[in-house]
Amino acid sequence: MSKQNPNSIEPHAAAPGVLKLEGSAARLQLVFASLVLVVPLLGTIEAGRLIWVTEIPAWAWWLFGVMYFVHMFGVTAGLHRLATHTGFKTSETMKMLLTIMGSMAAQGPLYYWVSQHRRHHLYSDQKGDPHSPNLHENKWLGLWYSHMPWMLSKHVSTWSHYAKDTLRDPVYFFVHRYYLAWVLLGLLIPTVIGALITQTFHGAWIGFIFGGLARMFFANQSAWMVGSISHRYGSVNFDTKDNSKNNWIVALLAFGEGLQNNHHAFPINYRHAVYWYEPDLTGWILALMNKLGLVWDLKFPNQSSINKLSLKKDKV
Ligand SMILES: [Zn+2]
Ligand SMILES: [Zn+2]
């Protein structure tokens, strides 16, 4: 890794605590990011072929749905609202479970995820935001860059700068360190379930494709729309000084994360819905888990903080 000349840095990387990977580290990052972008797509094409040539059993669709839930809830509750924003507290076991589920999404190791996302909040839609759709001259190119190619950037946020608190946490260290094992586990579980249900290799393959790769493709496309679509299209509740928007379609697909304008107004909230009618599945489940005593100290702003930033002056 090397320090950058400030004048030669691409706009998405122009922030303190950003280093440019070089040599084998850069090649490794490129290989892993490319695999995450391409392999689930190939698996989805195979899912399409299977749908065309054979009847897909009901269990395979259920497996897709359940694994989509595990993937999305792990990312939103574990990596995002807990590890990155500390929006609630929970036991060490639940913390491990949620962040392992999130790591199955293959969106990068925990420290990478946390530090990139915290930089996104710090420089939202300004120079230094790793995935803003609003920094390119060509707005369509900007939208595309913020959806996927940003992950191929050699410029990464340093963990010691952006994620110092998580480095000292033994659970986060463990989950980060064995990242690849969690990604493989997320592919292995549906494969084994398919094999157990059908006792055939064909069943194992259907499980791998539907619960593994196709699930990863659709869930990650939904998650990445949070950084692209929800920073361009949608409504606004709060004056956040950035371009974050509340996009309900993305919120439905990504369990509440599409409510970016709310989230950028109050990043440490355990829930992204501020008003009761806004769709936030992860927030609703965390509220239920709180009632069951599984999570606690849920952070939510009081009415006067909401009114201060609100453009609507509504009651919550
Ligand atoms: Zn955002
Ligand atoms: Zn966030």
Side-chain angles (χ1 to χ4, degrees):
M1 294 198 273
S2 70
K3 281 216 158 47
Q4 288 291 284
N5 170 1
N7 300 320
S8 67
I9 299 174
E10 55 170 282
H12 292 89
V18 175
L19 289 175
K20 187 180 181 186
L21 298 173
E22 285 178 348
S24 56
R27 282 193 292 277
L28 210 61
Q29 139 86 2
L30 191 64
V31 168
F32 276 117
S34 306
L35 285 174
V36 172
L37 297 181
V38 172
V39 176
L41 173 65
L42 297 177
T44 305
I45 294 169
E46 169 62 3
R49 189 193 71 82
L50 287 168
I51 291 169
W52 186 259
V53 300
T54 178
E55 185 152 341
I56 304 302
W59 63 261
W61 296 110
W62 276 102
L63 202 52
F64 174 87
V66 171
M67 289 304 295
Y68 186 104
F69 175 84
V70 168
H71 174 134
M72 195 62 87
F73 191 66
V75 171
T76 58
L79 295 180
H80 189 205
R81 303 186 196 192
L82 179 63
T84 304
H85 292 300
T86 63
F88 62 94
K89 290 196 177 125
T90 188
S91 64
E92 297 298 270
T93 312
M94 183 60 74
K95 184 159 83 175
M96 188 178 292
L97 182 68
L98 291 175
T99 48
I100 286 175
M101 283 162 59
S103 300
M104 288 179 184
Q107 293 183 5
L110 189 142
Y111 293 151
Y112 168 87
W113 205 103
V114 170
S115 49
Q116 292 283 66
H117 189 71
R118 285 183 179 171
R119 180 153 65 89
H120 164 63
H121 275 271
L122 215 52
Y123 302 99
S124 187
D125 292 314
Q126 302 166 28
K127 281 186 174 182
D129 182 345
H131 51 66
S132 169
N134 305 305
L135 298 182
H136 278 76
E137 274 182 34
N138 181 318
K139 70 177 207 169
W140 297 113
L141 211 63
L143 194 65
W144 168 240
Y145 180 85
S146 66
H147 189 64
M148 286 165 77
W150 70 272
M151 278 167 268
L152 302 172
S153 171
K154 290 188 180 74
H155 296 91
V156 294
S157 315
T158 46
W159 310 335
S160 55
H161 190 93
Y162 289 97
K164 208 171 186 173
D165 53 315
T166 56
L167 300 180
R168 285 188 290 268
D169 186 305
V171 171
Y172 290 150
F173 178 74
F174 174 76
V175 174
H176 170 88
R177 185 171 180 182
Y178 295 105
Y179 164 68
L180 276 182
W182 314 132
V183 174
L184 294 175
L185 186 66
L187 298 172
L188 189 66
I189 290 170
T191 309
V192 169
I193 291 175
L196 288 175
I197 290 173
T198 63
Q199 309 281 316
T200 64
F201 282 112
H202 182 65
W205 181 247
I206 287 183
F208 172 67
I209 291 297
F210 279 77
L213 293 183
R215 168 272 304 175
M216 196 181 273
F217 176 80
F218 283 103
N220 275 345
Q221 289 301 319
S222 301
W224 296 333
M225 276 194 256
V226 174
S228 55
I229 305 280
S230 300
H231 272 262
R232 178 74 70 76
Y233 306 107
S235 59
V236 171
N237 284 340
F238 299 103
D239 182 13
T240 54
K241 316 283 185 224
D242 59 19
N243 209 42
S244 58
K245 301 281 191 282
N246 289 338
N247 185 300
W248 280 37
I249 294 171
V250 180
L252 288 166
L253 292 169
F255 292 9
E257 305 280 308
L259 302 169
Q260 279 291 285
N261 180 252
N262 291 355
H263 177 51
H264 278 267
F266 305 105
I268 64 161
N269 275 8
Y270 81 93
R271 68 179 217 216
H272 289 186
V274 170
Y275 299 94
W276 66 267
Y277 48 81
E278 293 172 318
D280 180 10
L281 185 58
T282 292
W284 296 336
I285 294 172
L286 287 173
L288 180 67
M289 289 172 77
N290 179 47
K291 294 248 182 300
L292 298 172
L294 297 169
V295 300
W296 52 90
D297 286 356
L298 306 185
K299 292 187 183 126
F300 195 71
N302 58 28
Q303 186 65 52
S304 73
S305 323
I306 292 172
N307 288 345
K308 221 182 212 168
L309 283 182
S310 180
L311 298 166
K312 298 173 41 156
K313 305 294 176 205
D314 274 12
K315 285 260 178 264
V316 177

